[in-house]
Amino acid sequence: METMDATTLIERYAEIRKVTMKLIQPLETEDFIIQSHSDVSPPKWHIAHTTWFFERIILKEFKSGYQEFNPTFDFLFNSYYNTIGPYQPRHERGVLSRPTVEGIIAYRNYVDGQIRDLLSDLQSSEIKKELVKLIEMGLQHEQQHQELILMDVKYNFFVNPLFPVYLKTEEPPESERRKPAFIEFEGGLVEIGHNGEGFSFDNESPRHKVWLEPFKLATEPVTNGEYLEFIEAGGYEQPEHWLSDGWAIVKKNHWKAPLYWLKNEQDKWGIFTLGGVKNLDLNEPVCHVSFYESDAFSRWKGKRLPTEAEWEHASQGIAINGNTLEQAVYQPVPMNNESARAPLSKMFGDVWEWTSTAYSSYPGSKPLEGALGEYNAKFMSNQMILRGGSCATPASHIRETYRNFFPPEKRWQFGGFRLADDQK
């Protein structure tokens, strides 16, 4: 990566930026401004913020004589970088009717042109290591926001009584579900963490040793059908399965089922998807559940969630393919014949999988210097780790060492889980 030539980097930049613009094509102008919850951001803000990242972190630092497109954007589209300066409060991103969508797309085009000029000026010479790392980080950051766009549009559309359709998708072919099973792992002294080859975020390093007791991991994620059994058994009314904080949130928010589950007039469960309201497919991996719900179900089954070290150790050597953003389904899908043959199915794609590990730094980990030190490190409190990637994650953004993280009560991300157990 550090010796990537300018032409290759320009092509990669254009390819990833193009995906973002493709994702917003199904939206109407009115859809770009909506912010229905403080957790979500308007699509307009996402396409501006990812552009701001390249302008503020790269162009203003590396391009001699660079002229900002609009100096006020530094305040409007900074997300949370306190070392850079003040910013529009997150919960007030939806009040910005101006700049217009057209104006923000013009901003993207301007910055894209400036990035091309910056890289082209380098011609065939080796690109500075610092510059190529920052551009790659900007592209990984853009891919994070591609998934966030889908997450946020889905929630914005869900609170609309009309249940708008983002994009019609084809129904996956039906398949028989194999009987749930577990794979045994001996444990012992293992290594996890990024090995230094290719891109990684600072929170994935350094690679280090971890002791694992012998454990078992489920061959696939928990499905809607399995989770429905928990609901029908009264799982949401039985405090003995829940952590104290989780039980308080269940009672406060009146949770009865995962986010986006709906009861129809016939008292049958349906589910809201980016392709509209559909019948609940019992063989799909359950999605949009919080850590607390995942943990409660695991306890109800007499099992537990895996630690992130167990999950990563089990995933090593498994090919990274599956139902990701590129399939444009944007919804977990049932097992097919190919995935059913794998000893561990759906480790990548479909749903991010909750682990029992709290988000903290690895031994010897050091945050990046400057503003980018705020990218990950300052969130290492009151968050839980998820692994694997989802149906809205770009495949090239997924790594077995990737550490996603969310507060334990959040459900709007494409989060599911698989069971683990100790070897008796």
Side-chain angles (χ1 to χ4, degrees):
M1 183 192 305
E2 294 174 354
T3 58
M4 187 182 296
D5 64 88
T7 301
T8 302
L9 192 54
I10 290 172
E11 290 174 353
R12 175 162 167 75
Y13 177 90
E15 178 185 355
I16 290 178
R17 295 278 282 175
K18 184 179 179 180
V19 171
T20 303
M21 299 309 290
K22 181 180 179 181
L23 290 176
I24 65 173
Q25 284 180 356
L27 302 178
E28 300 293 343
T29 303
E30 293 81 358
D31 299 327
F32 281 88
I33 305 175
I34 299 299
Q35 183 181 24
S36 56
H37 191 280
S38 59
D39 283 339
V40 310
S41 297
K44 185 172 74 170
W45 186 89
H46 285 296
I47 61 176
H49 168 68
T50 50
T51 300
W52 170 88
F53 189 96
F54 286 105
E55 179 180 63
R56 181 62 183 81
I57 303 298
I58 296 172
L59 290 173
K60 290 181 72 172
E61 300 296 329
F62 285 87
K63 197 169 193 299
S64 178
Y66 176 73
Q67 296 294 315
E68 292 177 90
F69 182 84
N70 186 327
T72 65
F73 286 7
D74 210 33
F75 173 82
L76 292 179
F77 303 123
N78 178 1
S79 55
Y80 50 66
Y81 296 95
N82 293 296
T83 54
I84 287 177
Y87 46 83
Q88 178 78 358
R90 178 175 179 175
H91 65 280
E92 293 182 359
R93 292 171 182 171
V95 305
L96 303 174
S97 62
R98 304 295 176 93
T100 64
V101 176
E102 183 180 4
I104 286 175
I105 292 176
Y107 174 44
R108 279 182 71 90
N109 292 336
Y110 174 80
V111 168
D112 287 347
Q114 295 289 321
I115 289 286
R116 283 194 300 270
D117 290 346
L118 173 64
L119 297 178
S120 297
D121 288 345
L122 297 168
Q123 298 178 358
S124 61
S125 63
E126 182 175 319
I127 301 171
K128 285 184 179 180
K129 291 182 179 180
E130 183 181 5
L131 176 58
V132 71
K133 286 180 178 179
L134 288 174
I135 289 179
E136 181 60 31
M137 174 168 278
L139 295 176
Q140 295 279 336
H141 171 255
E142 180 109 6
Q143 290 181 308
Q144 288 180 319
H145 280 268
Q146 289 166 359
E147 181 160 4
L148 283 164
I149 287 171
L150 294 172
M151 288 164 49
D152 293 356
V153 166
K154 185 173 185 178
Y155 193 87
N156 287 339
F157 280 11
F158 179 66
V159 300
N160 186 328
L162 300 178
F163 295 137
V165 173
Y166 164 73
L167 189 67
K168 280 290 184 184
T169 57
E170 294 184 7
E171 294 285 345
E174 293 186 6
S175 63
E176 294 185 8
R177 182 168 180 268
R178 67 180 178 181
K179 186 177 180 180
F182 286 82
I183 301 291
E184 294 186 349
F185 293 87
E186 293 182 359
L189 192 62
V190 305
E191 288 191 347
I192 66 167
H194 198 264
N195 63 11
E197 297 180 8
F199 176 84
S200 69
F201 288 115
D202 57 349
N203 63 0
E204 299 174 52
S205 298
R207 192 162 179 82
H208 60 285
K209 292 179 173 60
V210 176
W211 178 266
L212 298 180
E213 296 294 334
F215 69 98
K216 298 188 289 187
L217 191 64
T219 54
E220 61 188 85
V222 170
T223 64
N224 288 332
E226 291 175 295
Y227 200 85
L228 183 58
E229 294 175 4
F230 172 67
I231 295 172
E232 292 178 341
Y236 280 90
E237 286 78 45
Q238 297 166 350
E240 59 267 29
H241 308 308
W242 297 82
L243 293 170
S244 178
D245 286 351
W247 182 246
I249 288 172
V250 166
K251 296 291 102 179
K252 177 182 177 181
N253 296 323
H254 309 288
W255 286 353
K256 301 294 182 183
L259 182 63
Y260 301 126
W261 283 32
L262 301 162
K263 276 284 186 76
N264 61 23
E265 295 177 354
Q266 289 75 41
D267 205 35
K268 299 290 185 181
W269 284 107
I271 188 170
F272 177 76
T273 75
L274 284 164
V277 177
K278 301 180 180 181
N279 293 329
L280 184 69
D281 189 327
L282 299 182
N283 292 329
E284 284 179 2
V286 68
C287 191
H288 298 295
V289 288
S290 66
F291 165 79
Y292 291 130
E293 290 164 295
S294 306
D295 180 76
F297 177 94
S298 302
R299 294 169 188 268
W300 175 73
K301 291 289 286 187
K303 308 297 182 185
R304 61 175 175 82
L305 294 175
T307 67
E308 73 164 324
E310 289 172 337
W311 193 101
E312 184 175 324
H313 176 64
S315 73
Q316 293 182 16
I318 296 177
I320 298 177
N321 56 40
N323 176 28
T324 58
L325 180 139
E326 287 76 10
Q327 279 63 54
V329 178
Y330 310 135
Q331 179 70 16
V333 297
M335 195 82 66
N336 59 30
N337 292 332
E338 181 178 355
S339 58
R341 288 194 295 267
L344 288 174
S345 300
K346 295 181 175 291
M347 289 290 280
F348 301 104
D350 282 295
V351 293
W352 287 102
E353 298 184 11
W354 286 105
T355 73
S356 62
T357 302
Y359 181 41
S360 63
S361 61
Y362 283 161
S365 176
K366 296 181 179 179
L368 299 174
E369 295 182 359
L372 291 179
E374 297 187 63
Y375 197 103
N376 287 310
K378 74 177 186 180
F379 297 108
M380 292 181 175
S381 176
N382 303 319
Q383 314 253 10
M384 302 300 291
I385 292 288
L386 303 92
R387 292 300 197 106
S390 81
C391 55
T393 310
S396 63
H397 186 63
I398 295 173
R399 298 175 294 282
E400 65 187 27
T401 61
Y402 194 110
R403 307 176 77 202
N404 200 357
F405 53 91
F406 279 94
E409 74 277 9
K410 299 305 181 186
R411 313 203 293 173
W412 99 107
Q413 72 278 8
F414 290 89
F417 62 104
R418 75 177 64 218
L419 298 175
D421 200 5
D422 303 322
Q423 286 197 42
K424 307 268 191 319

